[in-house]
Structure formats: structure tokens, C-alpha cells
Amino acid sequence: MLVLVAPGQGAQTPGFLIPWLDLPGVEDRLREWSDAIDLDLVHYGTKATEDEIRDTAVAQPLLVAASLISARQLFATADDVVATVGAAAGHSVGELAAAALTGTVSDGAAMTLVRRRGQAMAEAAATTETGMAALLGGDEAVVLPHLEKLGLTPANVNGAGQIVAAGTAEQIAALVENKPEGTRRVVPLKVAGAFHTHHMAPAVSALESATAELTVADPLTRYVSNKDGQVVTSGRELAQRLVGQVANPVRWDRCMETFKELGVTALIEAAPGGTLTGLAKRALPGVKTLALKTPDDLDAARELIAAVSAE
């Protein structure tokens, strides 16, 4: 069973869209979305600096665009996804790409919504200096009480020995100086806010307004939600979860548990891939994984899809 996943914020790097622009129709599609959301995706994906694409209002639309562009090379329509993919999910903002790929919303609607999401979260982050840091290794039973003691939130529980903490700049600095016993490293992330915490509460109301008139359909493929790893079958419920998700933790560990329960044998991560396949290699041993980093990975992805289909 094949799982299709889309990465979250922090996966972007300067110039990562450059090779994708060589594919027929990609630049036209990106410029169409750019005009619709008033953000030059081509510029930010090819020429912008690391600091420029760290901006939440830029990074989020850029990531969803990249995931859609790359996945559409393998699955042109939701029906193509249905024919091949057993389940789909996205990490944090990647959930919007997964919503489009499962036919819940159109690609254009996903881009419009992610633009508003990015702006709202950037505005919320601007009120207080906040950030996030990844804790590598360590036991949850030790790590979680330590974070609570420092006033930090476990914003991403990613499984495979990785938890991402979020809070104020001072709280993150304290964590770096005083890591939990058994944790190998604490790595500050290149994000501009404490996402998936109470610091993002102002963004929730903005997204509620943005989704109120959103046209949604029920997912055509199993959609696994970050909230709790559950399969969501209602398009309207999925939209509500996308709203609440910005101020609540991402439970990617539970998503991977659901993949395992569903019988996953292979996992493909849309561009800019790497992070989620890395987690899957540690948490889902025996599962074949492939990250779409450049168009050079497409042939291998097609071969993996064919192998899964033949099982």
C-alpha cells in the first residue's frame, strides 16, 4: 500500500524550484498561482535568499506549490491518486497540499487558503518573538515534563525519537542550554514563530473566515489527519481540522502509526522531500521510501508506484 505525503515548513531551501521549472507547463502554472495570490512563487523558488523564504507568509505558499507541482507529475488528477495511493497526509502546512491531492479542494483553492494561512500565522508570530527547536533522541516520558517545566509546548510529536518544542525566544534559549536527559541534540529551526501553540490563536479566527465559504468535497482517498492520526472522511470536518491545526500540536507519530495499521509498504514524499522519508525510515522499518527532491527522482518514483501496483 502506497502512502503519499507532503512536507511542512522548514523543508524549503534557496533555489529548490529551479530544476522543476524545466518541466513543461510548470512555470506557467506557478505564474498562474502567483497572480492569484499576489506572490511571485517563481522568484521566491529560484532567486530568493534563505532569509526571504524563511518568512512564514512566503514559505507556506511556496511549499504547497512545490508539493503540488511535483506530485502532479505522478498523479495528474484526484482519480489518479485514487487508483494508486492508499492514504495521503501532510505535515503541518503540507496538509493543504494533501487536501488538494485527495480531491477535497482544488489546487487553486489550496493555494489561496495557504496564502491566507501564511499571512495570518506571520501576523500572529510578529506579536511576540517566538521560535521552535527540534529535540533529537530522548524518551518522551523525560522530554515532555522537561518542556512543561520550561513553559514550552511539544508542537510536533514526530515519532522516531523527534519532538519539536515551541515557545518564546527566551524559552528556546533555555532549552538549548538545558536539554532533557538522554536527548542527543537540540536544534533551533529556521522558522519565524511558535507554530501549533497558543501563540497562533489569532490566526485561527482568520482561517475560520477563509474556510467559511470554501468549496469542499469528501476526500476520495484516505486522508490521515495531523490532529490525531485518524482517517478523516468528511470534507467539512477536514476543513475544520485545518483551521484548528495551526494552534494545536502536530501528531505525526500517530499518522505513521495509522500508516502502519493500514498496511503501508511504500511512501513517496512530495517536493521538497527528505524530512518525512527520514522519519519513516526510522519509524517504519521495511517500508520503501522515496523523496521527490528534483525531477531526476520522478523515474524512480514511477518505478516504485508500478511495483506497489503489482503487489
Side-chain angles (χ1 to χ4, degrees), residues 101-124:
L101 292 167
T102 57
T104 307
V105 298
S106 67
D107 289 3
M111 291 305 303
T112 299
L113 185 57
V114 73
R115 175 62 163 154
R116 187 67 194 101
R117 184 186 194 271
Q119 290 171 326
M121 293 177 73
E123 291 164 5

Short mmCIF file of all heavy atoms in Angstrom, two decimals, residues 101-124:
data_model
loop_
_atom_site.label_atom_id
_atom_site.label_comp_id
_atom_site.label_asym_id
_atom_site.label_seq_id
_atom_site.Cartn_x
_atom_site.Cartn_y
_atom_site.Cartn_z
N LEU A 101 -4.60 17.06 -3.20
CA LEU A 101 -4.27 15.81 -3.89
C LEU A 101 -5.33 14.73 -3.68
O LEU A 101 -5.49 13.85 -4.53
CB LEU A 101 -2.90 15.30 -3.42
CG LEU A 101 -1.72 16.19 -3.85
CD1 LEU A 101 -0.46 15.80 -3.09
CD2 LEU A 101 -1.50 16.10 -5.36
N THR A 102 -6.07 14.81 -2.58
CA THR A 102 -7.15 13.84 -2.33
C THR A 102 -8.49 14.32 -2.88
O THR A 102 -9.51 13.67 -2.66
CB THR A 102 -7.30 13.55 -0.83
OG1 THR A 102 -7.53 14.78 -0.13
CG2 THR A 102 -6.06 12.87 -0.28
N GLY A 103 -8.51 15.46 -3.57
CA GLY A 103 -9.73 15.95 -4.19
C GLY A 103 -10.66 16.70 -3.26
O GLY A 103 -11.79 17.01 -3.62
N THR A 104 -10.20 17.03 -2.04
CA THR A 104 -11.05 17.73 -1.08
C THR A 104 -11.26 19.18 -1.49
O THR A 104 -12.34 19.74 -1.34
CB THR A 104 -10.44 17.65 0.33
OG1 THR A 104 -10.19 16.28 0.65
CG2 THR A 104 -11.39 18.24 1.37
N VAL A 105 -10.19 19.82 -1.96
CA VAL A 105 -10.26 21.17 -2.50
C VAL A 105 -9.50 21.20 -3.81
O VAL A 105 -8.69 20.30 -4.10
CB VAL A 105 -9.67 22.22 -1.53
CG1 VAL A 105 -10.45 22.26 -0.22
CG2 VAL A 105 -8.19 21.95 -1.27
N SER A 106 -9.72 22.23 -4.62
CA SER A 106 -8.96 22.37 -5.85
C SER A 106 -7.55 22.86 -5.53
O SER A 106 -7.28 23.40 -4.45
CB SER A 106 -9.64 23.38 -6.78
OG SER A 106 -9.58 24.69 -6.22
N ASP A 107 -6.64 22.70 -6.49
CA ASP A 107 -5.28 23.21 -6.30
C ASP A 107 -5.31 24.72 -6.07
O ASP A 107 -4.60 25.24 -5.21
CB ASP A 107 -4.42 22.89 -7.52
CG ASP A 107 -4.09 21.40 -7.64
OD1 ASP A 107 -4.58 20.60 -6.81
OD2 ASP A 107 -3.35 21.05 -8.57
N GLY A 108 -6.11 25.41 -6.86
CA GLY A 108 -6.21 26.86 -6.72
C GLY A 108 -6.72 27.28 -5.36
O GLY A 108 -6.23 28.23 -4.75
N ALA A 109 -7.73 26.56 -4.86
CA ALA A 109 -8.28 26.87 -3.54
C ALA A 109 -7.25 26.61 -2.45
O ALA A 109 -7.15 27.37 -1.47
CB ALA A 109 -9.54 26.05 -3.27
N ALA A 110 -6.47 25.54 -2.60
CA ALA A 110 -5.42 25.25 -1.63
C ALA A 110 -4.39 26.36 -1.60
O ALA A 110 -3.93 26.77 -0.52
CB ALA A 110 -4.76 23.92 -1.96
N MET A 111 -4.04 26.90 -2.77
CA MET A 111 -3.07 27.98 -2.83
C MET A 111 -3.63 29.26 -2.22
O MET A 111 -2.92 29.98 -1.51
CB MET A 111 -2.64 28.22 -4.28
CG MET A 111 -1.80 27.10 -4.89
SD MET A 111 -0.33 26.69 -3.92
CE MET A 111 0.50 28.28 -3.85
N THR A 112 -4.88 29.56 -2.46
CA THR A 112 -5.50 30.75 -1.86
C THR A 112 -5.54 30.63 -0.35
O THR A 112 -5.23 31.58 0.39
CB THR A 112 -6.92 30.95 -2.41
OG1 THR A 112 -6.85 31.16 -3.84
CG2 THR A 112 -7.59 32.16 -1.78
N LEU A 113 -5.91 29.44 0.14
CA LEU A 113 -6.01 29.22 1.58
C LEU A 113 -4.64 29.26 2.25
O LEU A 113 -4.49 29.84 3.33
CB LEU A 113 -6.71 27.89 1.86
CG LEU A 113 -7.00 27.58 3.34
CD1 LEU A 113 -7.85 28.67 3.97
CD2 LEU A 113 -7.70 26.22 3.46
N VAL A 114 -3.64 28.68 1.61
CA VAL A 114 -2.32 28.66 2.24
C VAL A 114 -1.71 30.06 2.26
O VAL A 114 -0.96 30.41 3.18
CB VAL A 114 -1.37 27.66 1.55
CG1 VAL A 114 -0.89 28.16 0.18
CG2 VAL A 114 -0.16 27.38 2.44
N ARG A 115 -2.06 30.88 1.29
CA ARG A 115 -1.59 32.27 1.32
C ARG A 115 -2.17 32.99 2.54
O ARG A 115 -1.44 33.68 3.26
CB ARG A 115 -1.99 32.97 0.03
CG ARG A 115 -1.66 34.47 -0.02
CD ARG A 115 -0.18 34.74 0.09
NE ARG A 115 0.15 36.08 -0.36
CZ ARG A 115 1.21 36.78 0.04
NH1 ARG A 115 2.04 36.25 0.92
NH2 ARG A 115 1.44 37.99 -0.42
N ARG A 116 -3.45 32.80 2.78
CA ARG A 116 -4.07 33.44 3.95
C ARG A 116 -3.53 32.84 5.25
O ARG A 116 -3.32 33.56 6.23
CB ARG A 116 -5.60 33.27 3.89
CG ARG A 116 -6.31 34.06 4.96
CD ARG A 116 -6.16 35.56 4.73
NE ARG A 116 -6.54 36.37 5.90
CZ ARG A 116 -5.67 36.89 6.76
NH1 ARG A 116 -4.36 36.69 6.62
NH2 ARG A 116 -6.09 37.64 7.76
N ARG A 117 -3.31 31.54 5.26
CA ARG A 117 -2.74 30.87 6.44
C ARG A 117 -1.38 31.45 6.77
O ARG A 117 -1.08 31.78 7.92
CB ARG A 117 -2.64 29.37 6.16
CG ARG A 117 -2.15 28.52 7.33
CD ARG A 117 -1.96 27.08 6.83
NE ARG A 117 -1.80 26.09 7.87
CZ ARG A 117 -0.64 25.73 8.41
NH1 ARG A 117 0.47 26.33 8.00
NH2 ARG A 117 -0.58 24.78 9.33
N GLY A 118 -0.53 31.55 5.75
CA GLY A 118 0.81 32.07 5.98
C GLY A 118 0.80 33.50 6.49
O GLY A 118 1.57 33.86 7.40
N GLN A 119 -0.05 34.32 5.90
CA GLN A 119 -0.14 35.71 6.34
C GLN A 119 -0.64 35.80 7.79
O GLN A 119 -0.09 36.55 8.60
CB GLN A 119 -1.08 36.49 5.42
CG GLN A 119 -0.54 36.72 4.02
CD GLN A 119 -1.58 37.30 3.08
OE1 GLN A 119 -2.76 36.97 3.19
NE2 GLN A 119 -1.15 38.13 2.15
N ALA A 120 -1.68 35.02 8.10
CA ALA A 120 -2.25 35.07 9.45
C ALA A 120 -1.26 34.57 10.50
O ALA A 120 -1.16 35.15 11.59
CB ALA A 120 -3.53 34.24 9.49
N MET A 121 -0.52 33.53 10.18
CA MET A 121 0.44 32.99 11.14
C MET A 121 1.64 33.92 11.28
O MET A 121 2.21 34.06 12.38
CB MET A 121 0.85 31.57 10.74
CG MET A 121 -0.30 30.58 10.87
SD MET A 121 0.10 28.90 10.35
CE MET A 121 1.14 28.35 11.70
N ALA A 122 2.03 34.59 10.18
CA ALA A 122 3.12 35.56 10.26
C ALA A 122 2.71 36.74 11.14
O ALA A 122 3.50 37.24 11.94
CB ALA A 122 3.49 36.04 8.86
N GLU A 123 1.46 37.18 10.99
CA GLU A 123 0.96 38.29 11.82
C GLU A 123 0.93 37.89 13.29
O GLU A 123 1.29 38.67 14.17
CB GLU A 123 -0.43 38.70 11.34
CG GLU A 123 -0.43 39.38 9.97
CD GLU A 123 -1.81 39.43 9.33
OE1 GLU A 123 -2.79 39.04 9.99
OE2 GLU A 123 -1.90 39.85 8.17
N ALA A 124 0.50 36.66 13.56
CA ALA A 124 0.46 36.18 14.95
C ALA A 124 1.87 36.08 15.53
O ALA A 124 2.10 36.42 16.70
CB ALA A 124 -0.24 34.83 15.02
#
